[in-house]
Amino acid sequence: FPSHDNGSRLPSYRMVEPPHSEVHNNTHKIFDELKENPDYQKISQYVEMMEKGSQGVFEYLDKILAEKK
């Protein structure tokens, strides 16, 4: 059977977690803010932080792919 190596032993793998958490945490903040009397300035800030986290995730995914080669 082929190995299903997800890259978990690579140096950049564990570095994905902080920006990944940033994406999820800010997504939850957005939905919480939308429940009652939304503050759209806060929502805009959360979206920016979510996007920054997403960029970090893709940066580390690219590094993982490069390390797997």
PDB file of all heavy atoms in Angstrom, residues 19-34 38-56:
ATOM      1  N   PRO A  19      -1.306  30.337  11.859  1.00  0.00           N
ATOM      2  CA  PRO A  19      -2.157  31.082  10.926  1.00  0.00           C
ATOM      3  C   PRO A  19      -3.481  30.366  10.656  1.00  0.00           C
ATOM      4  O   PRO A  19      -4.508  31.018  10.436  1.00  0.00           O
ATOM      5  CB  PRO A  19      -1.311  31.208   9.652  1.00  0.00           C
ATOM      6  CG  PRO A  19      -0.269  30.173   9.747  1.00  0.00           C
ATOM      7  CD  PRO A  19      -0.042  29.942  11.212  1.00  0.00           C
ATOM      8  N   HIS A  20      -3.477  29.033  10.728  1.00  0.00           N
ATOM      9  CA  HIS A  20      -4.723  28.275  10.544  1.00  0.00           C
ATOM     10  C   HIS A  20      -5.705  28.608  11.666  1.00  0.00           C
ATOM     11  O   HIS A  20      -6.900  28.829  11.421  1.00  0.00           O
ATOM     12  CB  HIS A  20      -4.398  26.778  10.511  1.00  0.00           C
ATOM     13  CG  HIS A  20      -5.558  25.920  10.212  1.00  0.00           C
ATOM     14  ND1 HIS A  20      -5.982  24.925  11.060  1.00  0.00           N
ATOM     15  CD2 HIS A  20      -6.405  25.891   9.155  1.00  0.00           C
ATOM     16  CE1 HIS A  20      -7.029  24.322  10.539  1.00  0.00           C
ATOM     17  NE2 HIS A  20      -7.315  24.889   9.392  1.00  0.00           N
ATOM     18  N   SER A  21      -5.199  28.681  12.881  1.00  0.00           N
ATOM     19  CA  SER A  21      -6.053  29.062  14.014  1.00  0.00           C
ATOM     20  C   SER A  21      -6.567  30.487  13.864  1.00  0.00           C
ATOM     21  O   SER A  21      -7.711  30.782  14.217  1.00  0.00           O
ATOM     22  CB  SER A  21      -5.274  28.943  15.327  1.00  0.00           C
ATOM     23  OG  SER A  21      -5.030  27.605  15.627  1.00  0.00           O
ATOM     24  N   GLU A  22      -5.709  31.361  13.345  1.00  0.00           N
ATOM     25  CA  GLU A  22      -6.113  32.755  13.133  1.00  0.00           C
ATOM     26  C   GLU A  22      -7.307  32.829  12.171  1.00  0.00           C
ATOM     27  O   GLU A  22      -8.243  33.602  12.392  1.00  0.00           O
ATOM     28  CB  GLU A  22      -4.929  33.558  12.588  1.00  0.00           C
ATOM     29  CG  GLU A  22      -5.153  35.036  12.563  1.00  0.00           C
ATOM     30  CD  GLU A  22      -3.900  35.812  12.187  1.00  0.00           C
ATOM     31  OE1 GLU A  22      -2.785  35.294  12.289  1.00  0.00           O
ATOM     32  OE2 GLU A  22      -4.069  36.970  11.771  1.00  0.00           O
ATOM     33  N   VAL A  23      -7.272  32.028  11.121  1.00  0.00           N
ATOM     34  CA  VAL A  23      -8.392  32.001  10.169  1.00  0.00           C
ATOM     35  C   VAL A  23      -9.667  31.579  10.884  1.00  0.00           C
ATOM     36  O   VAL A  23     -10.696  32.260  10.810  1.00  0.00           O
ATOM     37  CB  VAL A  23      -8.094  31.063   8.977  1.00  0.00           C
ATOM     38  CG1 VAL A  23      -9.333  30.873   8.107  1.00  0.00           C
ATOM     39  CG2 VAL A  23      -6.933  31.584   8.146  1.00  0.00           C
ATOM     40  N   HIS A  24      -9.605  30.457  11.605  1.00  0.00           N
ATOM     41  CA  HIS A  24     -10.810  29.939  12.271  1.00  0.00           C
ATOM     42  C   HIS A  24     -11.302  30.861  13.380  1.00  0.00           C
ATOM     43  O   HIS A  24     -12.505  31.113  13.481  1.00  0.00           O
ATOM     44  CB  HIS A  24     -10.552  28.536  12.816  1.00  0.00           C
ATOM     45  CG  HIS A  24     -10.579  27.499  11.756  1.00  0.00           C
ATOM     46  ND1 HIS A  24     -11.741  26.957  11.259  1.00  0.00           N
ATOM     47  CD2 HIS A  24      -9.574  26.929  11.049  1.00  0.00           C
ATOM     48  CE1 HIS A  24     -11.458  26.093  10.308  1.00  0.00           C
ATOM     49  NE2 HIS A  24     -10.146  26.045  10.158  1.00  0.00           N
ATOM     50  N   ASN A  25     -10.395  31.370  14.191  1.00  0.00           N
ATOM     51  CA  ASN A  25     -10.807  32.245  15.297  1.00  0.00           C
ATOM     52  C   ASN A  25     -11.491  33.506  14.792  1.00  0.00           C
ATOM     53  O   ASN A  25     -12.515  33.929  15.348  1.00  0.00           O
ATOM     54  CB  ASN A  25      -9.604  32.609  16.160  1.00  0.00           C
ATOM     55  CG  ASN A  25      -9.064  31.428  16.935  1.00  0.00           C
ATOM     56  OD1 ASN A  25      -9.746  30.433  17.142  1.00  0.00           O
ATOM     57  ND2 ASN A  25      -7.816  31.528  17.353  1.00  0.00           N
ATOM     58  N   ASN A  26     -10.935  34.105  13.753  1.00  0.00           N
ATOM     59  CA  ASN A  26     -11.540  35.332  13.235  1.00  0.00           C
ATOM     60  C   ASN A  26     -12.833  35.063  12.484  1.00  0.00           C
ATOM     61  O   ASN A  26     -13.735  35.901  12.499  1.00  0.00           O
ATOM     62  CB  ASN A  26     -10.525  36.100  12.382  1.00  0.00           C
ATOM     63  CG  ASN A  26      -9.519  36.790  13.255  1.00  0.00           C
ATOM     64  OD1 ASN A  26      -9.853  37.702  13.994  1.00  0.00           O
ATOM     65  ND2 ASN A  26      -8.276  36.330  13.218  1.00  0.00           N
ATOM     66  N   THR A  27     -12.951  33.903  11.865  1.00  0.00           N
ATOM     67  CA  THR A  27     -14.224  33.530  11.237  1.00  0.00           C
ATOM     68  C   THR A  27     -15.317  33.433  12.299  1.00  0.00           C
ATOM     69  O   THR A  27     -16.421  33.941  12.113  1.00  0.00           O
ATOM     70  CB  THR A  27     -14.085  32.194  10.472  1.00  0.00           C
ATOM     71  OG1 THR A  27     -13.056  32.342   9.489  1.00  0.00           O
ATOM     72  CG2 THR A  27     -15.392  31.799   9.803  1.00  0.00           C
ATOM     73  N   HIS A  28     -14.997  32.798  13.428  1.00  0.00           N
ATOM     74  CA  HIS A  28     -15.968  32.704  14.524  1.00  0.00           C
ATOM     75  C   HIS A  28     -16.326  34.081  15.066  1.00  0.00           C
ATOM     76  O   HIS A  28     -17.496  34.348  15.365  1.00  0.00           O
ATOM     77  CB  HIS A  28     -15.427  31.810  15.643  1.00  0.00           C
ATOM     78  CG  HIS A  28     -15.405  30.368  15.301  1.00  0.00           C
ATOM     79  ND1 HIS A  28     -16.543  29.600  15.180  1.00  0.00           N
ATOM     80  CD2 HIS A  28     -14.372  29.540  15.024  1.00  0.00           C
ATOM     81  CE1 HIS A  28     -16.218  28.371  14.860  1.00  0.00           C
ATOM     82  NE2 HIS A  28     -14.901  28.300  14.744  1.00  0.00           N
ATOM     83  N   LYS A  29     -15.331  34.958  15.179  1.00  0.00           N
ATOM     84  CA  LYS A  29     -15.605  36.319  15.667  1.00  0.00           C
ATOM     85  C   LYS A  29     -16.553  37.055  14.729  1.00  0.00           C
ATOM     86  O   LYS A  29     -17.429  37.798  15.180  1.00  0.00           O
ATOM     87  CB  LYS A  29     -14.301  37.107  15.809  1.00  0.00           C
ATOM     88  CG  LYS A  29     -13.442  36.649  16.964  1.00  0.00           C
ATOM     89  CD  LYS A  29     -12.151  37.453  17.008  1.00  0.00           C
ATOM     90  CE  LYS A  29     -11.234  36.989  18.109  1.00  0.00           C
ATOM     91  NZ  LYS A  29      -9.971  37.765  18.126  1.00  0.00           N
ATOM     92  N   ILE A  30     -16.370  36.857  13.428  1.00  0.00           N
ATOM     93  CA  ILE A  30     -17.259  37.504  12.452  1.00  0.00           C
ATOM     94  C   ILE A  30     -18.694  37.043  12.659  1.00  0.00           C
ATOM     95  O   ILE A  30     -19.618  37.859  12.731  1.00  0.00           O
ATOM     96  CB  ILE A  30     -16.793  37.223  11.008  1.00  0.00           C
ATOM     97  CG1 ILE A  30     -15.482  37.963  10.725  1.00  0.00           C
ATOM     98  CG2 ILE A  30     -17.871  37.613  10.001  1.00  0.00           C
ATOM     99  CD1 ILE A  30     -14.782  37.525   9.449  1.00  0.00           C
ATOM    100  N   PHE A  31     -18.892  35.723  12.752  1.00  0.00           N
ATOM    101  CA  PHE A  31     -20.252  35.214  12.927  1.00  0.00           C
ATOM    102  C   PHE A  31     -20.843  35.622  14.264  1.00  0.00           C
ATOM    103  O   PHE A  31     -22.037  35.926  14.355  1.00  0.00           O
ATOM    104  CB  PHE A  31     -20.292  33.699  12.725  1.00  0.00           C
ATOM    105  CG  PHE A  31     -20.241  33.323  11.274  1.00  0.00           C
ATOM    106  CD1 PHE A  31     -19.066  32.846  10.712  1.00  0.00           C
ATOM    107  CD2 PHE A  31     -21.352  33.468  10.463  1.00  0.00           C
ATOM    108  CE1 PHE A  31     -19.007  32.511   9.358  1.00  0.00           C
ATOM    109  CE2 PHE A  31     -21.308  33.145   9.116  1.00  0.00           C
ATOM    110  CZ  PHE A  31     -20.133  32.666   8.569  1.00  0.00           C
ATOM    111  N   ASP A  32     -20.024  35.677  15.315  1.00  0.00           N
ATOM    112  CA  ASP A  32     -20.514  36.148  16.608  1.00  0.00           C
ATOM    113  C   ASP A  32     -20.935  37.617  16.522  1.00  0.00           C
ATOM    114  O   ASP A  32     -21.955  38.010  17.077  1.00  0.00           O
ATOM    115  CB  ASP A  32     -19.439  35.990  17.689  1.00  0.00           C
ATOM    116  CG  ASP A  32     -19.222  34.545  18.088  1.00  0.00           C
ATOM    117  OD1 ASP A  32     -20.083  33.680  17.771  1.00  0.00           O
ATOM    118  OD2 ASP A  32     -18.170  34.266  18.707  1.00  0.00           O
ATOM    119  N   GLU A  33     -20.157  38.408  15.818  1.00  0.00           N
ATOM    120  CA  GLU A  33     -20.452  39.835  15.675  1.00  0.00           C
ATOM    121  C   GLU A  33     -21.730  40.062  14.875  1.00  0.00           C
ATOM    122  O   GLU A  33     -22.441  41.038  15.097  1.00  0.00           O
ATOM    123  CB  GLU A  33     -19.262  40.546  15.018  1.00  0.00           C
ATOM    124  CG  GLU A  33     -19.331  42.034  15.033  1.00  0.00           C
ATOM    125  CD  GLU A  33     -19.320  42.646  16.436  1.00  0.00           C
ATOM    126  OE1 GLU A  33     -18.606  42.135  17.318  1.00  0.00           O
ATOM    127  OE2 GLU A  33     -20.036  43.638  16.629  1.00  0.00           O
ATOM    128  N   LEU A  34     -22.036  39.169  13.970  1.00  0.00           N
ATOM    129  CA  LEU A  34     -23.233  39.314  13.133  1.00  0.00           C
ATOM    130  C   LEU A  34     -24.528  38.960  13.851  1.00  0.00           C
ATOM    131  O   LEU A  34     -25.608  39.284  13.368  1.00  0.00           O
ATOM    132  CB  LEU A  34     -23.103  38.451  11.875  1.00  0.00           C
ATOM    133  CG  LEU A  34     -22.095  38.951  10.833  1.00  0.00           C
ATOM    134  CD1 LEU A  34     -21.876  37.889   9.766  1.00  0.00           C
ATOM    135  CD2 LEU A  34     -22.563  40.256  10.220  1.00  0.00           C
ATOM    136  N   PRO A  38     -24.395  44.256  14.773  1.00  0.00           N
ATOM    137  CA  PRO A  38     -23.038  44.086  14.240  1.00  0.00           C
ATOM    138  C   PRO A  38     -22.276  45.402  14.128  1.00  0.00           C
ATOM    139  O   PRO A  38     -22.826  46.425  13.737  1.00  0.00           O
ATOM    140  CB  PRO A  38     -23.245  43.468  12.863  1.00  0.00           C
ATOM    141  CG  PRO A  38     -24.690  43.557  12.558  1.00  0.00           C
ATOM    142  CD  PRO A  38     -25.423  43.864  13.817  1.00  0.00           C
ATOM    143  N   ASP A  39     -21.025  45.338  14.524  1.00  0.00           N
ATOM    144  CA  ASP A  39     -20.102  46.460  14.375  1.00  0.00           C
ATOM    145  C   ASP A  39     -19.278  46.150  13.127  1.00  0.00           C
ATOM    146  O   ASP A  39     -18.379  45.314  13.151  1.00  0.00           O
ATOM    147  CB  ASP A  39     -19.214  46.567  15.620  1.00  0.00           C
ATOM    148  CG  ASP A  39     -18.215  47.709  15.542  1.00  0.00           C
ATOM    149  OD1 ASP A  39     -17.870  48.151  14.422  1.00  0.00           O
ATOM    150  OD2 ASP A  39     -17.765  48.148  16.619  1.00  0.00           O
ATOM    151  N   TYR A  40     -19.605  46.825  12.038  1.00  0.00           N
ATOM    152  CA  TYR A  40     -18.985  46.492  10.754  1.00  0.00           C
ATOM    153  C   TYR A  40     -17.509  46.878  10.703  1.00  0.00           C
ATOM    154  O   TYR A  40     -16.752  46.302   9.933  1.00  0.00           O
ATOM    155  CB  TYR A  40     -19.792  47.098   9.605  1.00  0.00           C
ATOM    156  CG  TYR A  40     -21.122  46.401   9.475  1.00  0.00           C
ATOM    157  CD1 TYR A  40     -22.285  46.987   9.976  1.00  0.00           C
ATOM    158  CD2 TYR A  40     -21.211  45.140   8.903  1.00  0.00           C
ATOM    159  CE1 TYR A  40     -23.505  46.329   9.897  1.00  0.00           C
ATOM    160  CE2 TYR A  40     -22.419  44.476   8.822  1.00  0.00           C
ATOM    161  CZ  TYR A  40     -23.561  45.077   9.314  1.00  0.00           C
ATOM    162  OH  TYR A  40     -24.763  44.418   9.236  1.00  0.00           O
ATOM    163  N   GLN A  41     -17.099  47.789  11.541  1.00  0.00           N
ATOM    164  CA  GLN A  41     -15.670  48.111  11.616  1.00  0.00           C
ATOM    165  C   GLN A  41     -14.910  46.923  12.222  1.00  0.00           C
ATOM    166  O   GLN A  41     -13.851  46.548  11.740  1.00  0.00           O
ATOM    167  CB  GLN A  41     -15.438  49.368  12.434  1.00  0.00           C
ATOM    168  CG  GLN A  41     -13.989  49.823  12.410  1.00  0.00           C
ATOM    169  CD  GLN A  41     -13.801  51.193  13.043  1.00  0.00           C
ATOM    170  OE1 GLN A  41     -14.752  51.854  13.435  1.00  0.00           O
ATOM    171  NE2 GLN A  41     -12.554  51.605  13.147  1.00  0.00           N
ATOM    172  N   LYS A  42     -15.471  46.338  13.277  1.00  0.00           N
ATOM    173  CA  LYS A  42     -14.861  45.150  13.865  1.00  0.00           C
ATOM    174  C   LYS A  42     -14.849  44.002  12.861  1.00  0.00           C
ATOM    175  O   LYS A  42     -13.857  43.290  12.739  1.00  0.00           O
ATOM    176  CB  LYS A  42     -15.629  44.702  15.113  1.00  0.00           C
ATOM    177  CG  LYS A  42     -15.303  45.448  16.356  1.00  0.00           C
ATOM    178  CD  LYS A  42     -16.033  44.804  17.523  1.00  0.00           C
ATOM    179  CE  LYS A  42     -15.742  45.498  18.815  1.00  0.00           C
ATOM    180  NZ  LYS A  42     -16.457  44.875  19.943  1.00  0.00           N
ATOM    181  N   ILE A  43     -15.957  43.829  12.155  1.00  0.00           N
ATOM    182  CA  ILE A  43     -16.041  42.750  11.167  1.00  0.00           C
ATOM    183  C   ILE A  43     -14.970  42.934  10.106  1.00  0.00           C
ATOM    184  O   ILE A  43     -14.297  41.972   9.723  1.00  0.00           O
ATOM    185  CB  ILE A  43     -17.454  42.682  10.548  1.00  0.00           C
ATOM    186  CG1 ILE A  43     -18.456  42.208  11.601  1.00  0.00           C
ATOM    187  CG2 ILE A  43     -17.457  41.770   9.320  1.00  0.00           C
ATOM    188  CD1 ILE A  43     -19.906  42.310  11.185  1.00  0.00           C
ATOM    189  N   SER A  44     -14.778  44.167   9.663  1.00  0.00           N
ATOM    190  CA  SER A  44     -13.750  44.449   8.665  1.00  0.00           C
ATOM    191  C   SER A  44     -12.362  44.091   9.201  1.00  0.00           C
ATOM    192  O   SER A  44     -11.535  43.516   8.477  1.00  0.00           O
ATOM    193  CB  SER A  44     -13.811  45.920   8.268  1.00  0.00           C
ATOM    194  OG  SER A  44     -12.811  46.221   7.329  1.00  0.00           O
ATOM    195  N   GLN A  45     -12.108  44.400  10.462  1.00  0.00           N
ATOM    196  CA  GLN A  45     -10.824  44.050  11.077  1.00  0.00           C
ATOM    197  C   GLN A  45     -10.643  42.539  11.150  1.00  0.00           C
ATOM    198  O   GLN A  45      -9.557  42.024  10.888  1.00  0.00           O
ATOM    199  CB  GLN A  45     -10.714  44.665  12.469  1.00  0.00           C
ATOM    200  CG  GLN A  45     -10.599  46.172  12.459  1.00  0.00           C
ATOM    201  CD  GLN A  45     -10.722  46.772  13.850  1.00  0.00           C
ATOM    202  OE1 GLN A  45     -11.135  46.121  14.804  1.00  0.00           O
ATOM    203  NE2 GLN A  45     -10.373  48.049  13.964  1.00  0.00           N
ATOM    204  N   TYR A  46     -11.710  41.828  11.516  1.00  0.00           N
ATOM    205  CA  TYR A  46     -11.638  40.365  11.597  1.00  0.00           C
ATOM    206  C   TYR A  46     -11.392  39.753  10.221  1.00  0.00           C
ATOM    207  O   TYR A  46     -10.639  38.785  10.087  1.00  0.00           O
ATOM    208  CB  TYR A  46     -12.914  39.784  12.208  1.00  0.00           C
ATOM    209  CG  TYR A  46     -13.188  40.207  13.635  1.00  0.00           C
ATOM    210  CD1 TYR A  46     -14.493  40.359  14.085  1.00  0.00           C
ATOM    211  CD2 TYR A  46     -12.160  40.462  14.534  1.00  0.00           C
ATOM    212  CE1 TYR A  46     -14.761  40.740  15.391  1.00  0.00           C
ATOM    213  CE2 TYR A  46     -12.423  40.846  15.836  1.00  0.00           C
ATOM    214  CZ  TYR A  46     -13.724  40.976  16.266  1.00  0.00           C
ATOM    215  OH  TYR A  46     -13.993  41.357  17.559  1.00  0.00           O
ATOM    216  N   VAL A  47     -12.020  40.329   9.201  1.00  0.00           N
ATOM    217  CA  VAL A  47     -11.806  39.832   7.833  1.00  0.00           C
ATOM    218  C   VAL A  47     -10.345  40.026   7.436  1.00  0.00           C
ATOM    219  O   VAL A  47      -9.722  39.120   6.866  1.00  0.00           O
ATOM    220  CB  VAL A  47     -12.753  40.522   6.825  1.00  0.00           C
ATOM    221  CG1 VAL A  47     -12.335  40.232   5.396  1.00  0.00           C
ATOM    222  CG2 VAL A  47     -14.195  40.082   7.053  1.00  0.00           C
ATOM    223  N   GLU A  48      -9.790  41.187   7.761  1.00  0.00           N
ATOM    224  CA  GLU A  48      -8.384  41.437   7.445  1.00  0.00           C
ATOM    225  C   GLU A  48      -7.471  40.445   8.154  1.00  0.00           C
ATOM    226  O   GLU A  48      -6.526  39.918   7.556  1.00  0.00           O
ATOM    227  CB  GLU A  48      -7.996  42.871   7.820  1.00  0.00           C
ATOM    228  CG  GLU A  48      -8.556  43.916   6.882  1.00  0.00           C
ATOM    229  CD  GLU A  48      -8.169  45.331   7.287  1.00  0.00           C
ATOM    230  OE1 GLU A  48      -7.097  45.519   7.905  1.00  0.00           O
ATOM    231  OE2 GLU A  48      -8.942  46.250   6.972  1.00  0.00           O
ATOM    232  N   MET A  49      -7.746  40.172   9.429  1.00  0.00           N
ATOM    233  CA  MET A  49      -6.929  39.217  10.180  1.00  0.00           C
ATOM    234  C   MET A  49      -7.108  37.797   9.633  1.00  0.00           C
ATOM    235  O   MET A  49      -6.154  37.017   9.581  1.00  0.00           O
ATOM    236  CB  MET A  49      -7.267  39.283  11.665  1.00  0.00           C
ATOM    237  CG  MET A  49      -6.794  40.578  12.314  1.00  0.00           C
ATOM    238  SD  MET A  49      -7.021  40.643  14.109  1.00  0.00           S
ATOM    239  CE  MET A  49      -8.791  40.823  14.242  1.00  0.00           C
ATOM    240  N   MET A  50      -8.336  37.478   9.228  1.00  0.00           N
ATOM    241  CA  MET A  50      -8.610  36.172   8.639  1.00  0.00           C
ATOM    242  C   MET A  50      -7.831  36.017   7.335  1.00  0.00           C
ATOM    243  O   MET A  50      -7.214  34.973   7.086  1.00  0.00           O
ATOM    244  CB  MET A  50     -10.114  36.025   8.395  1.00  0.00           C
ATOM    245  CG  MET A  50     -10.551  34.669   7.918  1.00  0.00           C
ATOM    246  SD  MET A  50     -12.341  34.572   7.691  1.00  0.00           S
ATOM    247  CE  MET A  50     -12.577  35.662   6.312  1.00  0.00           C
ATOM    248  N   GLU A  51      -7.825  37.049   6.509  1.00  0.00           N
ATOM    249  CA  GLU A  51      -7.099  37.007   5.243  1.00  0.00           C
ATOM    250  C   GLU A  51      -5.595  36.892   5.475  1.00  0.00           C
ATOM    251  O   GLU A  51      -4.909  36.155   4.771  1.00  0.00           O
ATOM    252  CB  GLU A  51      -7.418  38.234   4.397  1.00  0.00           C
ATOM    253  CG  GLU A  51      -8.818  38.211   3.834  1.00  0.00           C
ATOM    254  CD  GLU A  51      -9.195  39.481   3.094  1.00  0.00           C
ATOM    255  OE1 GLU A  51      -8.498  40.517   3.260  1.00  0.00           O
ATOM    256  OE2 GLU A  51     -10.186  39.447   2.355  1.00  0.00           O
ATOM    257  N   LYS A  52      -5.085  37.598   6.464  1.00  0.00           N
ATOM    258  CA  LYS A  52      -3.664  37.505   6.802  1.00  0.00           C
ATOM    259  C   LYS A  52      -3.321  36.072   7.216  1.00  0.00           C
ATOM    260  O   LYS A  52      -2.306  35.517   6.795  1.00  0.00           O
ATOM    261  CB  LYS A  52      -3.332  38.482   7.928  1.00  0.00           C
ATOM    262  CG  LYS A  52      -1.890  38.462   8.351  1.00  0.00           C
ATOM    263  CD  LYS A  52      -1.642  39.425   9.495  1.00  0.00           C
ATOM    264  CE  LYS A  52      -0.231  39.258  10.030  1.00  0.00           C
ATOM    265  NZ  LYS A  52      -0.035  39.958  11.285  1.00  0.00           N
ATOM    266  N   GLY A  53      -4.175  35.473   8.036  1.00  0.00           N
ATOM    267  CA  GLY A  53      -3.957  34.088   8.447  1.00  0.00           C
ATOM    268  C   GLY A  53      -4.001  33.141   7.267  1.00  0.00           C
ATOM    269  O   GLY A  53      -3.189  32.227   7.154  1.00  0.00           O
ATOM    270  N   SER A  54      -4.928  33.377   6.363  1.00  0.00           N
ATOM    271  CA  SER A  54      -5.049  32.536   5.173  1.00  0.00           C
ATOM    272  C   SER A  54      -3.789  32.617   4.317  1.00  0.00           C
ATOM    273  O   SER A  54      -3.295  31.597   3.812  1.00  0.00           O
ATOM    274  CB  SER A  54      -6.267  32.967   4.363  1.00  0.00           C
ATOM    275  OG  SER A  54      -6.410  32.173   3.207  1.00  0.00           O
ATOM    276  N   GLN A  55      -3.260  33.812   4.171  1.00  0.00           N
ATOM    277  CA  GLN A  55      -2.008  33.969   3.423  1.00  0.00           C
ATOM    278  C   GLN A  55      -0.883  33.178   4.092  1.00  0.00           C
ATOM    279  O   GLN A  55      -0.067  32.547   3.414  1.00  0.00           O
ATOM    280  CB  GLN A  55      -1.631  35.445   3.310  1.00  0.00           C
ATOM    281  CG  GLN A  55      -2.538  36.225   2.405  1.00  0.00           C
ATOM    282  CD  GLN A  55      -2.285  37.732   2.472  1.00  0.00           C
ATOM    283  OE1 GLN A  55      -1.516  38.224   3.297  1.00  0.00           O
ATOM    284  NE2 GLN A  55      -2.958  38.458   1.598  1.00  0.00           N
ATOM    285  N   GLY A  56      -0.852  33.206   5.415  1.00  0.00           N
ATOM    286  CA  GLY A  56       0.155  32.446   6.159  1.00  0.00           C
ATOM    287  C   GLY A  56       0.000  30.951   5.944  1.00  0.00           C
ATOM    288  O   GLY A  56       0.992  30.230   5.791  1.00  0.00           O
TER     289      GLY A  56
END
